[in-house]
Coordinates of all heavy atoms in Angstrom, one line a residue:
M1 N 4.3 12.5 15.4 CA 5.5 12.6 14.5 C 5.2 12.0 13.2 O 5.7 12.5 12.2 CB 6.6 12.0 15.3 CG 7.9 12.0 14.4 SD 9.4 11.6 15.3 CE 9.7 13.2 16.1
I2 N 4.7 10.7 13.1 CA 4.4 10.1 11.8 C 3.6 10.9 10.9 O 3.7 11.1 9.7 CB 3.9 8.7 12.0 CG1 5.0 7.8 12.5 CG2 3.5 8.1 10.6 CD1 4.6 6.4 12.9
T3 N 2.4 11.5 11.6 CA 1.5 12.3 10.8 C 2.2 13.5 10.3 O 1.9 13.9 9.1 CB 0.4 12.8 11.8 OG1 -0.2 11.5 12.3 CG2 -0.6 13.5 11.0
R4 N 3.0 14.2 11.0 CA 3.8 15.3 10.5 C 4.7 15.0 9.3 O 4.7 15.6 8.4 CB 4.6 16.0 11.6 CG 5.2 17.3 11.2 CD 6.0 18.1 12.3 NE 7.3 17.4 12.3 CZ 7.9 16.9 13.4 NH1 7.4 17.1 14.6 NH2 9.1 16.4 13.3
F5 N 5.4 13.9 9.5 CA 6.3 13.4 8.4 C 5.5 13.1 7.2 O 6.0 13.6 6.1 CB 7.1 12.1 8.8 CG 7.8 11.6 7.7 CD1 9.0 12.0 7.4 CD2 7.3 10.4 7.1 CE1 9.8 11.4 6.3 CE2 8.0 9.8 6.0 CZ 9.2 10.3 5.6
L6 N 4.4 12.4 7.3 CA 3.6 12.1 6.1 C 3.0 13.4 5.5 O 2.6 13.3 4.2 CB 2.6 11.1 6.4 CG 3.1 9.7 6.8 CD1 2.0 8.9 7.3 CD2 3.8 9.1 5.6
S7 N 2.8 14.4 6.2 CA 2.1 15.6 5.6 C 3.1 16.5 5.0 O 2.8 17.4 4.3 CB 1.4 16.3 6.8 OG 2.2 16.9 7.7
E8 N 4.5 16.4 5.2 CA 5.4 17.2 4.7 C 5.8 16.7 3.2 O 5.8 15.5 3.0 CB 6.6 17.2 5.5 CG 6.5 17.8 6.9 CD 7.6 17.7 7.7 OE1 8.7 17.0 7.3 OE2 7.6 18.2 8.8
P9 N 6.0 17.6 2.2 CA 6.4 17.1 0.9 C 7.8 16.6 0.9 O 8.7 17.0 1.8 CB 6.4 18.4 0.1 CG 6.4 19.6 1.0 CD 5.9 19.1 2.4
H10 N 8.0 15.6 0.1 CA 9.3 14.9 0.0 C 10.0 15.1 -1.3 O 10.9 14.3 -1.7 CB 9.2 13.5 0.4 CG 8.9 13.2 1.9 ND1 7.9 13.9 2.6 CD2 9.4 12.5 2.8 CE1 7.8 13.6 3.7 NE2 8.7 12.6 4.0
G11 N 9.6 16.0 -2.1 CA 10.3 16.4 -3.3 C 10.5 15.3 -4.3 O 9.4 14.6 -4.7
E12 N 11.7 15.1 -4.8 CA 11.9 14.1 -5.8 C 11.5 12.7 -5.4 O 11.1 11.9 -6.2 CB 13.4 14.1 -6.2 CG 13.8 15.5 -6.9 CD 15.3 15.4 -7.2 OE1 15.9 14.3 -7.4 OE2 15.9 16.5 -7.4
E13 N 11.7 12.4 -4.1 CA 11.4 11.1 -3.6 C 9.9 10.7 -3.9 O 9.5 9.6 -4.4 CB 11.6 10.9 -2.1 CG 13.1 11.0 -1.7 CD 13.3 10.9 -0.2 OE1 12.3 10.6 0.5 OE2 14.3 11.3 0.3
T14 N 9.0 11.6 -3.6 CA 7.6 11.4 -3.9 C 7.3 11.4 -5.3 O 6.5 10.6 -5.8 CB 6.7 12.6 -3.2 OG1 7.1 12.6 -1.8 CG2 5.3 12.4 -3.4
G15 N 7.9 12.2 -6.1 CA 7.8 12.2 -7.6 C 8.1 10.8 -8.1 O 7.4 10.3 -8.9
A16 N 9.2 10.3 -7.7 CA 9.7 9.1 -8.2 C 8.8 7.9 -7.8 O 8.4 6.9 -8.5 CB 11.2 8.8 -7.7
L17 N 8.3 8.0 -6.5 CA 7.4 7.0 -6.0 C 6.0 7.1 -6.8 O 5.5 6.0 -7.2 CB 7.2 7.2 -4.5 CG 6.1 6.3 -3.9 CD1 6.7 4.8 -4.1 CD2 6.2 6.5 -2.4
L18 N 5.5 8.2 -7.0 CA 4.3 8.4 -7.8 C 4.4 7.8 -9.2 O 3.5 7.2 -9.8 CB 3.9 9.9 -7.8 CG 3.3 10.4 -6.5 CD1 3.0 11.9 -6.6 CD2 2.2 9.6 -6.0
E19 N 5.6 8.0 -9.8 CA 5.9 7.4 -11.2 C 5.9 5.9 -11.1 O 5.2 5.3 -11.9 CB 7.2 7.9 -11.7 CG 7.5 7.5 -13.1 CD 8.8 8.1 -13.6 OE1 9.1 9.2 -13.3 OE2 9.4 7.4 -14.4
K20 N 6.5 5.3 -10.1 CA 6.4 3.9 -9.9 C 5.0 3.4 -9.6 O 4.6 2.3 -10.2 CB 7.3 3.4 -8.7 CG 8.7 3.5 -8.9 CD 9.5 3.0 -7.7 CE 11.0 3.1 -7.8 NZ 11.6 2.6 -6.7
L21 N 4.2 4.2 -8.9 CA 2.8 3.8 -8.6 C 2.0 3.7 -10.0 O 1.1 2.9 -10.0 CB 2.2 4.7 -7.6 CG 2.4 4.5 -6.2 CD1 1.9 5.6 -5.3 CD2 2.0 3.2 -5.7
S22 N 2.4 4.5 -10.9 CA 1.6 4.6 -12.1 C 1.7 3.2 -12.9 O 1.0 3.0 -13.7 CB 2.0 5.8 -12.9 OG 3.3 5.6 -13.5
A23 N 2.8 2.5 -12.6 CA 3.0 1.2 -13.1 C 2.1 0.1 -12.6 O 2.0 -1.0 -13.3 CB 4.5 0.7 -13.1
L24 N 1.5 0.4 -11.5 CA 0.6 -0.6 -10.8 C -0.8 -0.7 -11.6 O -1.3 0.3 -12.1 CB 0.3 -0.2 -9.4 CG 1.5 -0.3 -8.5 CD1 1.0 0.1 -7.1 CD2 2.1 -1.6 -8.4
T25 N -1.3 -1.9 -11.7 CA -2.6 -2.1 -12.2 C -3.6 -1.5 -11.2 O -3.3 -1.4 -10.1 CB -2.9 -3.5 -12.6 OG1 -3.0 -4.2 -11.3 CG2 -1.9 -4.2 -13.5
P26 N -4.8 -1.2 -11.6 CA -5.9 -0.7 -10.6 C -6.0 -1.7 -9.5 O -6.1 -1.4 -8.3 CB -7.1 -0.6 -11.4 CG -6.6 -0.2 -12.8 CD -5.3 -1.1 -13.0
R27 N -6.0 -3.1 -9.8 CA -6.1 -4.0 -8.8 C -5.0 -4.1 -7.8 O -5.2 -4.3 -6.6 CB -6.4 -5.4 -9.5 CG -6.7 -6.5 -8.4 CD -8.0 -6.2 -7.6 NE -9.1 -7.0 -8.1 CZ -10.3 -7.0 -7.7 NH1 -10.6 -6.3 -6.6 NH2 -11.2 -7.7 -8.2
E28 N -3.8 -4.0 -8.4 CA -2.6 -4.0 -7.6 C -2.6 -2.8 -6.6 O -2.3 -2.9 -5.4 CB -1.3 -3.9 -8.4 CG -1.0 -5.2 -9.1 CD 0.0 -5.1 -10.2 OE1 0.4 -3.9 -10.6 OE2 0.5 -6.2 -10.7
R29 N -3.0 -1.7 -7.1 CA -3.2 -0.3 -6.3 C -4.2 -0.6 -5.2 O -4.0 -0.2 -4.1 CB -3.5 0.7 -7.2 CG -3.7 1.9 -6.5 CD -3.9 3.1 -7.5 NE -2.7 3.9 -7.4 CZ -2.4 4.9 -8.1 NH1 -3.0 5.3 -9.0 NH2 -1.3 5.6 -7.8
E30 N -5.3 -1.2 -5.5 CA -6.3 -1.5 -4.6 C -5.8 -2.4 -3.4 O -6.0 -2.2 -2.2 CB -7.5 -2.2 -5.2 CG -8.7 -2.4 -4.4 CD -9.9 -3.0 -5.2 OE1 -9.8 -3.4 -6.3 OE2 -11.0 -2.8 -4.7
V31 N -5.1 -3.4 -3.9 CA -4.6 -4.4 -2.9 C -3.5 -3.7 -2.1 O -3.5 -3.9 -0.8 CB -4.0 -5.6 -3.6 CG1 -3.1 -6.5 -2.6 CG2 -5.1 -6.5 -4.2
V32 N -2.7 -3.0 -2.6 CA -1.6 -2.2 -1.8 C -2.4 -1.2 -0.8 O -1.9 -1.2 0.4 CB -0.7 -1.3 -2.7 CG1 0.1 -0.4 -1.9 CG2 0.2 -2.2 -3.5
T33 N -3.5 -0.6 -1.1 CA -4.1 0.2 -0.3 C -4.8 -0.6 0.9 O -4.6 -0.2 2.1 CB -5.3 0.9 -1.0 OG1 -4.7 1.7 -2.0 CG2 -6.1 1.8 0.0
L34 N -5.3 -1.8 0.6 CA -5.8 -2.6 1.6 C -4.7 -3.2 2.6 O -4.9 -3.3 3.8 CB -6.6 -3.7 1.1 CG -7.9 -3.3 0.3 CD1 -8.5 -4.4 -0.5 CD2 -8.9 -2.7 1.3
V35 N -3.6 -3.5 2.0 CA -2.5 -3.9 2.8 C -2.1 -2.8 3.8 O -1.9 -3.1 5.0 CB -1.2 -4.4 1.9 CG1 0.0 -4.5 2.8 CG2 -1.6 -5.6 1.2
A36 N -2.0 -1.6 3.3 CA -1.6 -0.5 4.1 C -2.6 -0.1 5.2 O -2.3 0.4 6.3 CB -1.4 0.8 3.2
L37 N -3.9 -0.6 5.0 CA -5.0 -0.3 6.0 C -4.8 -1.5 7.0 O -5.7 -1.5 7.9 CB -6.3 -0.3 5.3 CG -6.6 1.0 4.5 CD1 -7.9 0.8 3.8 CD2 -6.5 2.2 5.4
G38 N -3.9 -2.5 6.9 CA -3.6 -3.5 7.9 C -4.4 -4.7 7.6 O -4.6 -5.6 8.5
K39 N -4.9 -4.8 6.5 CA -5.8 -6.0 6.2 C -4.8 -7.3 5.9 O -3.8 -7.1 5.2 CB -6.7 -5.8 5.1 CG -7.6 -4.7 5.3 CD -9.0 -5.1 5.0 CE -9.9 -3.9 5.2 NZ -11.2 -4.2 5.8
S40 N -5.2 -8.5 6.4 CA -4.5 -9.7 6.0 C -4.8 -10.1 4.6 O -5.8 -9.7 4.0 CB -4.8 -10.8 7.0 OG -6.2 -11.2 6.8
N41 N -4.0 -11.0 4.1 CA -4.3 -11.5 2.7 C -5.7 -12.2 2.7 O -6.4 -12.1 1.8 CB -3.2 -12.6 2.3 CG -1.9 -11.9 2.0 OD1 -1.9 -10.8 1.8 ND2 -0.9 -12.8 1.8
Q42 N -6.1 -12.9 3.8 CA -7.4 -13.6 3.9 C -8.5 -12.5 3.9 O -9.5 -12.7 3.3 CB -7.5 -14.5 5.2 CG -6.5 -15.6 5.1 CD -5.1 -15.3 5.5 OE1 -4.7 -14.2 6.0 NE2 -4.1 -16.2 5.2
E43 N -8.4 -11.4 4.5 CA -9.3 -10.4 4.6 C -9.5 -9.7 3.3 O -10.6 -9.4 2.8 CB -9.0 -9.3 5.7 CG -9.1 -9.8 7.1 CD -8.6 -8.9 8.1 OE1 -7.5 -8.2 7.9 OE2 -9.1 -8.9 9.3
I44 N -8.4 -9.5 2.6 CA -8.3 -8.9 1.3 C -9.0 -9.7 0.3 O -9.9 -9.4 -0.5 CB -6.9 -8.5 0.8 CG1 -6.4 -7.4 1.7 CG2 -7.0 -8.0 -0.6 CD1 -4.8 -7.2 1.6
A45 N -8.7 -11.1 0.4 CA -9.3 -12.0 -0.5 C -10.8 -12.0 -0.5 O -11.7 -12.0 -1.4 CB -8.7 -13.4 -0.3
A46 N -11.3 -12.0 0.8 CA -12.7 -12.1 1.0 C -13.4 -10.7 0.6 O -14.5 -10.8 -0.1 CB -13.0 -12.2 2.6
E47 N -12.7 -9.7 0.8 CA -13.3 -8.3 0.4 C -13.4 -8.2 -1.2 O -14.3 -7.6 -1.6 CB -12.5 -7.2 1.0 CG -13.1 -5.8 0.6 CD -12.4 -4.7 1.5 OE1 -12.0 -5.0 2.6 OE2 -12.3 -3.6 1.0
L48 N -12.4 -8.8 -1.8 CA -12.3 -8.6 -3.3 C -12.9 -9.8 -4.0 O -12.9 -9.8 -5.2 CB -10.9 -8.4 -3.8 CG -10.2 -7.1 -3.2 CD1 -8.7 -7.0 -3.7 CD2 -11.1 -5.9 -3.5
A49 N -13.4 -10.8 -3.3 CA -13.9 -12.1 -3.8 C -12.9 -12.8 -4.7 O -13.2 -13.1 -5.9 CB -15.2 -11.8 -4.5
V50 N -11.7 -12.8 -4.3 CA -10.7 -13.6 -5.0 C -10.0 -14.6 -4.0 O -10.2 -14.5 -2.8 CB -9.6 -12.6 -5.7 CG1 -10.2 -11.7 -6.6 CG2 -8.8 -11.9 -4.5
S51 N -9.0 -15.4 -4.5 CA -8.3 -16.3 -3.6 C -7.1 -15.7 -3.0 O -6.7 -14.6 -3.4 CB -7.8 -17.5 -4.5 OG -6.7 -17.2 -5.3
T52 N -6.7 -16.2 -1.9 CA -5.5 -15.7 -1.2 C -4.3 -15.8 -2.1 O -3.5 -14.9 -2.0 CB -5.3 -16.4 0.2 OG1 -5.2 -17.8 -0.1 CG2 -6.3 -16.1 1.1
V53 N -4.3 -16.8 -2.9 CA -3.2 -16.9 -3.9 C -3.1 -15.7 -4.9 O -2.1 -15.2 -5.2 CB -3.2 -18.3 -4.7 CG1 -2.1 -18.3 -5.8 CG2 -3.1 -19.4 -3.7
T54 N -4.3 -15.3 -5.2 CA -4.4 -14.1 -6.2 C -4.0 -12.8 -5.4 O -3.2 -12.1 -6.0 CB -5.7 -14.0 -6.7 OG1 -6.2 -15.2 -7.4 CG2 -6.0 -12.8 -7.5
V55 N -4.3 -12.7 -4.3 CA -3.9 -11.5 -3.4 C -2.4 -11.6 -3.3 O -1.7 -10.6 -3.4 CB -4.5 -11.6 -2.0 CG1 -3.9 -10.5 -1.1 CG2 -6.1 -11.4 -2.1
K56 N -1.8 -12.7 -2.9 CA -0.3 -12.8 -2.8 C 0.3 -12.5 -4.1 O 1.4 -11.8 -4.1 CB 0.1 -14.3 -2.5 CG -0.2 -14.6 -1.0 CD 0.1 -16.0 -0.6 CE -0.4 -16.4 0.7 NZ -0.1 -17.8 1.1
T57 N -0.3 -12.9 -5.2 CA 0.4 -12.5 -6.5 C 0.3 -11.0 -6.7 O 1.3 -10.4 -7.2 CB -0.4 -13.2 -7.6 OG1 -0.3 -14.7 -7.5 CG2 0.0 -12.9 -9.0
H58 N -0.8 -10.4 -6.4 CA -0.9 -9.0 -6.5 C 0.1 -8.2 -5.7 O 0.8 -7.2 -6.1 CB -2.3 -8.4 -6.3 CG -3.3 -8.7 -7.3 ND1 -3.1 -8.5 -8.6 CD2 -4.5 -9.4 -7.3 CE1 -4.2 -8.8 -9.3 NE2 -5.0 -9.4 -8.5
V59 N 0.2 -8.7 -4.5 CA 1.2 -8.1 -3.5 C 2.6 -8.2 -4.0 O 3.4 -7.3 -4.0 CB 1.1 -8.7 -2.1 CG1 2.2 -8.3 -1.1 CG2 -0.3 -8.3 -1.4
N60 N 3.0 -9.4 -4.4 CA 4.3 -9.6 -5.0 C 4.6 -8.9 -6.2 O 5.8 -8.3 -6.4 CB 4.6 -11.1 -5.2 CG 4.7 -11.9 -4.0 OD1 5.1 -11.4 -3.0 ND2 4.2 -13.2 -4.0
R61 N 3.7 -8.7 -7.1 CA 3.9 -7.9 -8.3 C 4.0 -6.5 -7.9 O 4.8 -5.7 -8.5 CB 2.8 -8.1 -9.3 CG 2.9 -9.4 -10.0 CD 1.8 -9.6 -11.0 NE 1.9 -11.0 -11.6 CZ 0.9 -11.6 -12.3 NH1 -0.1 -11.0 -12.4 NH2 1.2 -12.7 -12.8
A62 N 3.3 -6.0 -7.0 CA 3.3 -4.6 -6.6 C 4.7 -4.3 -6.0 O 5.3 -3.3 -6.2 CB 2.2 -4.2 -5.6
M63 N 5.1 -5.2 -5.1 CA 6.4 -5.1 -4.5 C 7.6 -5.0 -5.5 O 8.5 -4.2 -5.3 CB 6.6 -6.2 -3.4 CG 5.8 -6.1 -2.2 SD 5.9 -7.5 -1.0 CE 7.6 -7.6 -0.8
A64 N 7.4 -5.9 -6.4 CA 8.4 -5.9 -7.6 C 8.5 -4.6 -8.3 O 9.5 -4.0 -8.6 CB 8.2 -7.0 -8.4
K65 N 7.4 -4.1 -8.6 CA 7.2 -2.8 -9.4 C 7.7 -1.6 -8.6 O 8.2 -0.7 -9.2 CB 5.8 -2.6 -9.9 CG 5.3 -3.5 -11.0 CD 3.9 -3.3 -11.4 CE 3.5 -4.3 -12.5 NZ 2.1 -4.1 -12.8
L66 N 7.5 -1.7 -7.3 CA 7.8 -0.5 -6.4 C 9.2 -0.7 -5.8 O 9.7 0.3 -5.2 CB 6.8 -0.4 -5.3 CG 5.4 0.0 -5.7 CD1 4.5 0.0 -4.5 CD2 5.4 1.3 -6.4
G67 N 9.8 -1.9 -6.1 CA 11.1 -2.0 -5.6 C 11.2 -2.2 -4.0 O 12.2 -1.8 -3.4
T68 N 10.2 -2.7 -3.4 CA 10.1 -2.9 -1.9 C 10.6 -4.3 -1.6 O 10.5 -5.3 -2.3 CB 8.7 -2.8 -1.3 OG1 7.8 -3.7 -2.0 CG2 8.3 -1.3 -1.7
R69 N 11.3 -4.4 -0.4 CA 11.8 -5.7 0.0 C 10.7 -6.6 0.9 O 10.9 -7.7 0.8 CB 12.9 -5.5 1.1 CG 14.1 -4.8 0.5 CD 15.2 -4.5 1.5 NE 14.7 -3.7 2.7 CZ 14.8 -2.4 2.7 NH1 15.3 -1.7 1.7 NH2 14.4 -1.8 3.7
D70 N 9.8 -5.9 1.5 CA 8.8 -6.6 2.2 C 7.5 -5.8 2.4 O 7.3 -4.7 1.9 CB 9.4 -6.9 3.7 CG 9.9 -5.7 4.4 OD1 9.3 -4.6 4.2 OD2 10.9 -5.8 5.2
R71 N 6.5 -6.5 3.0 CA 5.2 -5.9 3.2 C 5.3 -4.6 3.9 O 4.5 -3.6 3.6 CB 4.4 -6.9 3.9 CG 2.9 -6.7 3.7 CD 2.2 -7.9 4.4 NE 0.8 -7.7 4.4 CZ -0.1 -8.3 3.6 NH1 0.3 -9.3 2.7 NH2 -1.4 -8.2 3.7
A72 N 6.2 -4.5 4.9 CA 6.3 -3.3 5.7 C 6.7 -2.1 4.8 O 6.1 -1.0 5.0 CB 7.2 -3.5 6.9
Q73 N 7.6 -2.3 4.0 CA 8.1 -1.2 3.1 C 7.0 -0.8 2.1 O 6.9 0.3 1.8 CB 9.3 -1.7 2.4 CG 10.1 -0.5 1.8 CD 11.4 -0.8 1.1 OE1 11.6 -2.0 0.8 NE2 12.3 0.2 1.0
L74 N 6.2 -1.8 1.7 CA 5.1 -1.6 0.9 C 4.1 -0.6 1.5 O 3.7 0.3 0.9 CB 4.4 -2.9 0.4 CG 3.3 -2.9 -0.6 CD1 3.9 -2.5 -1.9 CD2 2.6 -4.2 -0.7
V75 N 3.9 -0.9 2.8 CA 3.0 0.1 3.5 C 3.5 1.5 3.6 O 2.8 2.4 3.4 CB 2.6 -0.6 4.9 CG1 1.9 0.4 5.8 CG2 1.9 -1.9 4.9
I76 N 4.8 1.5 3.8 CA 5.4 2.9 3.9 C 5.3 3.6 2.6 O 4.9 4.8 2.6 CB 6.9 2.7 4.4 CG1 7.0 2.2 5.8 CG2 7.6 4.0 4.2 CD1 8.4 1.8 6.1
H77 N 5.5 2.9 1.5 CA 5.4 3.6 0.3 C 3.9 4.0 0.1 O 3.6 5.1 -0.6 CB 5.8 2.7 -0.9 CG 7.3 2.5 -1.1 ND1 8.2 3.4 -0.5 CD2 7.9 1.7 -1.9 CE1 9.4 3.0 -0.9 NE2 9.4 2.0 -1.7
A78 N 3.0 3.2 0.4 CA 1.6 3.6 0.3 C 1.2 4.9 1.0 O 0.5 5.7 0.5 CB 0.6 2.5 0.7
Y79 N 1.8 4.9 2.2 CA 1.5 6.3 3.0 C 2.3 7.4 2.4 O 1.6 8.5 2.3 CB 2.0 6.0 4.4 CG 0.8 5.5 5.3 CD1 0.7 4.1 5.5 CD2 0.0 6.3 6.0 CE1 -0.2 3.6 6.2 CE2 -1.1 5.7 6.8 CZ -1.1 4.3 6.9 OH -2.2 3.8 7.6
E80 N 3.5 7.2 1.9 CA 4.3 8.3 1.4 C 3.6 8.7 0.1 O 3.7 10.0 -0.2 CB 5.7 7.8 1.1 CG 6.5 7.7 2.4 CD 8.0 7.2 2.1 OE1 8.2 6.6 1.0 OE2 8.8 7.4 3.0
A81 N 3.0 7.9 -0.7 CA 2.4 8.3 -1.9 C 1.0 8.8 -1.8 O 0.4 9.3 -2.7 CB 2.3 7.0 -2.9
G82 N 0.4 8.7 -0.6 CA -0.9 9.3 -0.3 C -2.0 8.3 -0.7 O -3.2 8.8 -0.8
L83 N -1.8 7.1 -0.9 CA -2.8 6.1 -1.1 C -3.7 6.0 0.1 O -4.9 5.6 0.0 CB -2.2 4.7 -1.5 CG -1.6 4.6 -2.9 CD1 -1.0 3.1 -3.0 CD2 -2.5 4.9 -3.9
V84 N -3.0 6.1 1.3 CA -3.8 6.1 2.6 C -3.2 7.2 3.4 O -2.1 7.7 3.2 CB -3.6 4.7 3.3 CG1 -4.4 3.6 2.6 CG2 -2.2 4.3 3.5
R85 N -4.0 7.5 4.4 CA -3.6 8.6 5.4 C -3.8 8.0 6.8 O -4.6 7.2 7.0 CB -4.5 9.8 5.3 CG -4.3 10.5 4.0 CD -3.1 11.4 4.0 NE -3.0 12.0 2.7 CZ -1.9 12.3 2.1 NH1 -0.8 12.0 2.7 NH2 -1.8 13.0 1.0
P86 N -3.0 8.6 7.8 CA -3.2 8.1 9.1 C -4.6 8.3 9.6 O -5.3 9.2 9.3 CB -2.3 9.1 10.0 CG -1.2 9.5 9.0 CD -2.0 9.6 7.6
G87 N -5.1 7.2 10.2 CA -6.4 7.2 10.7 C -7.5 6.5 9.8 O -8.5 6.2 10.3
W88 N -7.1 6.4 8.6 CA -8.0 5.7 7.6 C -8.3 4.2 8.0 O -7.2 3.6 8.3 CB -7.6 5.7 6.2 CG -7.7 7.0 5.6 CD1 -8.0 8.2 6.2 CD2 -7.5 7.4 4.2 NE1 -8.0 9.3 5.2 CE2 -7.6 8.8 4.0 CE3 -7.1 6.6 3.0 CZ2 -7.5 9.4 2.8 CZ3 -7.0 7.3 1.9 CH2 -7.2 8.6 1.7
G89 N -9.3 3.7 8.0 CA -9.5 2.3 8.3 C -9.6 2.0 9.8 O -9.8 0.8 10.1
T90 N -9.4 2.9 10.6 CA -9.3 2.7 12.2 C -10.6 2.1 12.7 O -10.7 1.3 13.6 CB -8.8 3.8 12.9 OG1 -9.6 4.9 12.7 CG2 -7.4 4.1 12.7
S91 N -11.7 2.6 12.1 CA -13.1 2.1 12.6 C -13.3 0.7 12.2 O -14.1 0.0 12.7 CB -14.1 3.0 12.0 OG -14.2 3.0 10.7
Q92 N -12.6 0.2 11.2 CA -12.7 -1.2 10.7 C -11.7 -2.1 11.3 O -11.7 -3.3 11.1 CB -12.5 -1.2 9.2 CG -13.5 -0.3 8.4 CD -13.0 -0.1 7.0 OE1 -12.0 -0.6 6.6 NE2 -13.8 0.6 6.3
A93 N -10.7 -1.5 12.1 CA -9.7 -2.3 12.6 C -10.2 -3.4 13.6 O -11.1 -3.2 14.4 CB -8.6 -1.4 13.3
S94 N -9.5 -4.5 13.7 CA -9.9 -5.5 14.7 C -9.3 -5.3 16.0 O -8.1 -4.7 16.0 CB -9.5 -6.9 14.1 OG -10.0 -7.2 12.9
P95 N -9.9 -5.6 17.1 CA -9.3 -5.3 18.4 C -8.1 -6.3 18.6 O -7.9 -7.2 18.0 CB -10.5 -5.7 19.3 CG -11.5 -6.3 18.6 CD -11.3 -6.2 17.1

């Protein structure tokens, strides 16, 4: 059901979201993608060779720019905008 929802166009909602995404820096976009893939702040920090404080800053700035309330909503926006797709990163998932 989620896969079907994500594959359907959402008209103006998607257009507005894509416009908001354009306000993200490349690093913020990268961090949002990694968050959407289920990575923790510690995992993202290790992958990007930055501190967890820096990751938190990127997450908070992205959330402010996208108007999201929490990390879960940030993940939803990432999927709706096509930054990630269902099944991406599953081979890297921790048990």
Side-chain angles (χ1 to χ4, degrees):
M1 176 168 277
I2 290 174
T3 303
R4 189 180 80 226
F5 172 79
L6 292 171
S7 67
E8 295 173 357
H10 290 46
E12 292 181 26
E13 292 175 15
T14 302
L17 182 55
L18 291 175
E19 187 175 324
K20 286 181 181 180
L21 280 173
S22 70
L24 298 180
T25 66
R27 183 62 100 178
E28 289 167 348
R29 180 174 244 173
E30 184 176 19
V31 168
V32 168
T33 300
L34 293 170
V35 167
L37 290 174
K39 302 225 180 222
S40 69
N41 287 348
Q42 294 80 10
E43 291 170 327
I44 295 168
E47 186 168 328
L48 301 179
V50 298
S51 72
T52 55
V53 172
T54 300
V55 172
K56 289 178 188 179
T57 298
H58 288 309
V59 170
N60 288 331
R61 287 183 181 162
M63 287 173 57
K65 289 178 181 180
L66 296 175
T68 59
R69 294 180 303 272
D70 54 33
R71 197 173 173 109
Q73 195 175 23
L74 188 65
V75 170
I76 291 167
H77 281 351
Y79 274 90
E80 287 178 341
L83 288 179
V84 290
R85 296 278 181 217
W88 287 10
T90 54
S91 62
Q92 302 164 359
S94 301

